[in-house]
Amino acid sequence: MRIGAHISDYDPVTAATQRNAAAVQFFLSDPQNWRAPQPHPQAAQLLEADLFVYVHSPYVLNVASLNNRIRIPSRKLVTQHAAAAAAVGARGLVVHGGHLAKGEDPAHGVENWRKMFDRQADEGGFATRILVENTAGGDNAMARRFDSLARLWDAIGDYDVGFCLDTCHAFAAGENLVDAVDRVMAITGRIDLVHCNNSRDEFGSARDRHAPLRAGTIEPDQLVAVCAAADAPVILETDPTTQADDIAWLRAELSEG
């Protein structure tokens, strides 16, 4: 199993070596703005490195939105980031499920996701597989609760789309981690990536605040069990100062299991 971490985007190869990571995830642009990604200075090294590479899309994206000023630029950036991710050999582009405003019908958000894949299919598909990630909060979120995820997957599951399971997000959303992998697999048929994060907040808090693997409110053994059951590459999105120790600990726990 490949275990790694979300790291700084300017020198991911060195950061991976420092953490003894076998996988890396990073942003290709500022996650809080709408700028298009630029060519990565380590693209050649990343293509040659023995690393599983993943790219996380900017947080501002919301392809479900009913607001044209948000949805249309979001679709454009997903396409741009998928192409830029392919240029560094990424196995997937992680995109949050998004949400609608209060009072809006979630069915329209689901349809907007379908339209994005349908339109891109006419162009030959995305350059890198899109990995939809579950989110922690939001009453009108597309992928917060697993029942909402099921509605979304009914619309997009026939496209070349993957899924990223975030443990902190699921826990914060009020989804029990004990059988989370089985329930997700029953919906999507796949888990392409696990974001293994502990939570600083209590179960069902709807707060997206990550903690190191052995320093949060989730029992560490539950995190190990999720990773083992998913049998997918793992990325830690935690404090950089704890990532090397947590990678070593998780690798040892999974080996012993």
Side-chain angles (χ1 to χ4, degrees), residues 98-180:
H99 60 276
L100 300 187
K102 183 178 179 180
E104 294 178 336
D105 185 351
H108 296 310
V110 168
E111 180 64 7
N112 284 337
W113 265 99
R114 187 199 64 76
K115 287 179 179 178
M116 181 184 75
F117 280 106
D118 197 39
R119 292 175 181 180
Q120 194 62 30
D122 293 337
E123 303 297 324
F126 289 103
T128 302
R129 177 175 289 135
I130 306 303
L131 306 182
V132 178
E133 180 181 1
N134 61 305
T135 51
D139 291 337
N140 266 2
M142 297 294 101
R144 175 190 179 188
R145 300 303 301 265
F146 290 175
D147 56 350
S148 298
L149 174 63
R151 289 194 293 271
L152 176 60
W153 221 258
D154 282 344
I156 67 173
D158 288 337
Y159 296 99
D160 183 22
V161 57
F163 184 71
C164 172
L165 173 63
D166 188 300
T167 55
C168 173
H169 295 177
F171 183 81
E175 297 288 353
N176 196 322
L177 293 182
V178 172
D179 61 349

Side-chain angles (χ1 to χ4, degrees), residues 66-83:
L66 305 191
N67 184 335
N68 290 346
R69 294 184 178 181
I70 296 175
R71 184 183 67 262
I72 294 174
S74 293
R75 288 175 177 167
K76 181 178 180 180
L77 272 188
V78 169
T79 303
Q80 291 173 334
H81 276 264

Side-chain angles (χ1 to χ4, degrees), residues 34-251:
W34 295 89
R35 294 191 185 95
Q38 300 300 310
H40 197 283
Q42 280 196 341
Q45 294 97 310
L46 286 164
L47 289 169
E48 294 174 358
D50 183 23
L51 290 170
F52 278 21
V53 177
Y54 298 90
V55 171
H56 201 299
S57 65
Y59 297 133
V60 293
L61 298 183
N62 185 2
V63 299
S65 177
L66 305 191
N67 184 335
N68 290 346
R69 294 184 178 181
I70 296 175
R71 184 183 67 262
I72 294 174
S74 293
R75 288 175 177 167
K76 181 178 180 180
L77 272 188
V78 169
T79 303
Q80 291 173 334
H81 276 264
V88 297
R91 292 171 173 264
L93 173 68
V94 178
V95 181
H96 286 175
H99 60 276
L100 300 187
K102 183 178 179 180
E104 294 178 336
D105 185 351
H108 296 310
V110 168
E111 180 64 7
N112 284 337
W113 265 99
R114 187 199 64 76
K115 287 179 179 178
M116 181 184 75
F117 280 106
D118 197 39
R119 292 175 181 180
Q120 194 62 30
D122 293 337
E123 303 297 324
F126 289 103
T128 302
R129 177 175 289 135
I130 306 303
L131 306 182
V132 178
E133 180 181 1
N134 61 305
T135 51
D139 291 337
N140 266 2
M142 297 294 101
R144 175 190 179 188
R145 300 303 301 265
F146 290 175
D147 56 350
S148 298
L149 174 63
R151 289 194 293 271
L152 176 60
W153 221 258
D154 282 344
I156 67 173
D158 288 337
Y159 296 99
D160 183 22
V161 57
F163 184 71
C164 172
L165 173 63
D166 188 300
T167 55
C168 173
H169 295 177
F171 183 81
E175 297 288 353
N176 196 322
L177 293 182
V178 172
D179 61 349
V181 170
D182 288 342
R183 289 186 290 128
V184 168
M185 290 295 289
I187 293 167
T188 65
R190 62 190 299 157
I191 295 177
D192 298 81
L193 181 66
V194 174
H195 282 172
C196 187
N197 307 305
N198 212 314
S199 174
R200 293 168 58 186
D201 301 289
E202 68 279 5
F203 181 75
S205 67
R207 294 176 181 173
D208 181 7
R209 300 201 303 172
H210 298 180
L213 300 193
R214 292 164 286 173
T217 57
I218 303 173
E219 290 293 332
D221 287 350
Q222 285 193 355
L223 297 175
V224 175
V226 167
C227 293
D231 194 24
V234 175
I235 291 290
L236 280 59
E237 298 176 314
T238 53
D239 187 332
T241 63
T242 69
Q243 287 175 346
D245 286 343
D246 274 344
I247 288 172
W249 173 80
L250 181 59
R251 188 173 282 139

